[in-house]
Amino acid sequence: MTDFSVYFFSANDRNGFGDRYRFILDVARYIDDRGFRAVWTPERHFQEFGGSFPNPAVLSAALAVTTRSLELRAGSVVLPHHHPVRVAEEWALVDQLSGGRVGICLATGWHKGDFVFHPDLYDVRREYTFGHIETLRSLWRGEQAEFPGPDGQQLSVRTYPRPEQPELPLWLVHTSNPQTWLQAGRAGLNVLTLLDSWERLEENIAAYRGAREEAGLDPAAGVVTVGLHTFVGDDEAEVKRIVHDPVRSYLSSFVRQKRNDAEVDGGSKAMSDAEQQALVDVAAEDFYQRRSLLGTPDKCAAVVERLAGIGVGEIACLVDFGIPFDTVLAALPKLDEVRARFAPAAGAPAAAGPPPGPAPGAADDDALSWYYARA
């Protein structure tokens, strides 16, 4: 069995913020009715890329009262931007509203421009994140935790409201550091990642399972969730036509942000326009051919089967990358067709009806390492 979820991480808001939020609610209602596992919303700040998502807890609160069984996941909470008490409080509230459907993926952050909240934590962001994993778990269970207060005194805190779930489901986002997999395994965390290389992914999953076992945890229990750009249709040529410009625009927006980040960080060489276009062309073709759910149901099912074979338990479908909202909604039944192939036979839902709203060759892995290193 392979679970399917939907992951939102929009490149821009040319459709308007209000339209995007209505689109997210429409998609969530549809996949909630069809047996998808979860919906993911990220935390992003001060950039057009993902600019609709400054606070996944707020958006998840709306989703909590719009859906019935869909798990509501932050993908991710950048922990160094927050006090752990606020994270526990906000997500416990969403857990109450949803009847116990919350999950959180933690991220350390990496862009200096985001650290206006706690600039002192930038250099210790990894230590801060890993150091507060048990803090979050403890607060979630209702245990008291101590934090610095005024005048150098320690304050003892127990958070409210109490959540529905006794334990907080936690993921860790992986980018380019293989040590992250080992740390996630030892800490008993799930992992959210992208598909940068089939070979590296398989190696990392094996290392993750081994780290869990060495820590005395069930090696098979941890969930590996892989995010893939997704658009499924019956006609391969038509799918390729629909996704051609949006994929390139999405990647261009991402790479343009990397150029800006290089200028801010001062530690990496900015890309030229020609280098940027070359990278986008390679990445777009690679996405389509090898690292996506872009294409026909059979083509996409083959990718899912391969991922399941190396230990991936969930596919997070990135459906929001510049394709018109109505077109995405109209294509959801085809995605559901792929999902149904991997659902338990006894629990497979009935054939999907129309969605809500208006409806009508391999590249070298290393060529994309720069892109995925910051994805």
Side-chain angles (χ1 to χ4, degrees):
M1 173 181 172
T2 302
D3 286 324
F4 282 70
S5 56
V6 167
Y7 190 4
F8 290 98
F9 200 137
S10 61
N12 60 62
D13 291 289
R14 295 178 188 130
N15 291 282
F17 288 102
D19 287 343
R20 183 172 304 284
Y21 297 134
R22 283 189 289 273
F23 166 67
I24 291 169
L25 294 174
D26 282 345
V27 172
R29 282 189 287 263
Y30 180 82
I31 65 174
D32 186 38
D33 289 340
R34 295 328 190 264
F36 284 69
R37 185 62 180 265
V39 58
W40 298 84
T41 52
E43 177 183 356
R44 295 292 297 171
H45 301 284
F46 320 129
Q47 299 281 346
E48 181 186 29
F49 193 89
S52 300
F53 303 100
N55 190 329
V58 173
L59 187 50
S60 292
L63 292 166
V65 297
T66 306
T67 58
R68 298 185 303 273
S69 59
L70 200 64
E71 294 180 16
L72 311 173
R73 303 206 191 125
S76 304
V77 168
V78 183
L79 197 55
H81 296 341
H82 306 275
H83 195 290
V85 167
R86 289 296 293 162
V87 175
E89 287 179 334
E90 290 178 0
W91 286 96
L93 174 56
V94 181
D95 204 53
Q96 279 287 342
L97 287 171
S98 65
R101 293 185 277 134
V102 155
I104 297 175
C105 179
L106 300 176
T108 62
W110 55 270
H111 182 219
K112 287 183 178 179
D114 289 352
F115 277 77
V116 297
F117 304 104
H118 298 286
D120 56 307
L121 295 179
Y122 178 78
D123 290 334
V124 294
R125 58 195 183 278
R126 287 185 64 84
E127 294 84 353
Y128 181 90
T129 299
F130 286 102
H132 280 303
I133 290 171
E134 289 307 317
T135 306
L136 284 174
R137 286 170 164 165
S138 176
L139 290 169
W140 194 267
R141 296 186 192 113
E143 300 167 4
Q144 288 189 325
E146 288 195 345
F147 298 94
D151 302 321
Q153 296 183 347
Q154 291 291 103
L155 298 179
S156 185
V157 171
R158 178 181 289 115
T159 60
Y160 296 94
R162 303 301 320 128
E164 283 280 321
Q165 297 179 94
E167 297 289 340
L168 174 61
L170 284 173
W171 276 252
L172 185 66
V173 68
H174 167 259
T175 53
S176 60
N177 187 348
Q179 289 300 313
T180 301
W181 290 86
L182 301 179
Q183 290 175 291
R186 296 184 193 112
L189 304 175
N190 305 313
V191 178
L192 173 65
T193 189
L194 297 176
L195 178 55
D196 66 337
S197 159
W198 284 97
E199 293 74 19
R200 279 194 292 271
L201 179 61
E202 186 170 7
E203 291 170 0
N204 285 332
I205 292 174
Y208 167 71
R209 302 292 180 201
R212 287 183 61 90
E213 189 169 22
E214 290 174 6
L217 303 168
D218 181 356
V223 178
V224 175
T225 303
V226 173
L228 296 174
H229 287 66
T230 301
F231 187 85
V232 186
D234 282 327
D235 186 277
E236 187 76 22
E238 179 64 8
V239 171
K240 202 161 190 177
R241 183 193 67 79
I242 290 171
V243 305
H244 182 276
D245 290 345
V247 164
R248 281 163 174 76
S249 177
Y250 183 95
L251 295 176
S252 292
S253 179
F254 188 95
V255 174
R256 185 166 55 251
Q257 180 182 324
K258 300 305 108 186
R259 293 177 67 178
N260 294 337
D261 295 343
E263 295 174 3
V264 171
D265 294 341
S268 56
K269 177 180 177 291
M271 300 182 74
S272 68
D273 290 340
E275 288 172 330
Q276 173 178 320
Q277 189 55 53
L279 179 64
V280 167
D281 289 340
V282 171
E285 185 62 21
D286 189 76
F287 268 0
Y288 193 88
Q289 297 298 339
R290 302 180 63 209
R291 309 173 200 273
S292 70
L293 298 187
L294 301 174
T296 64
D298 287 344
K299 175 179 179 288
C300 296
V303 174
V304 176
E305 287 173 356
R306 185 177 178 185
L307 287 168
I310 63 173
V312 173
E314 180 181 329
I315 310 298
C317 302
L318 288 89
V319 300
D320 184 17
F321 54 94
I323 297 174
F325 296 154
D326 292 353
T327 304
V328 174
L329 289 167
L332 289 179
K334 284 299 169 185
L335 173 57
D336 187 49
E337 181 182 313
V338 176
R339 180 208 59 79
R341 296 190 190 190
F342 299 91
D364 182 80
D365 285 336
D366 291 337
L368 296 176
S369 60
W370 183 87
Y371 170 81
Y372 283 108
R374 292 294 184 87

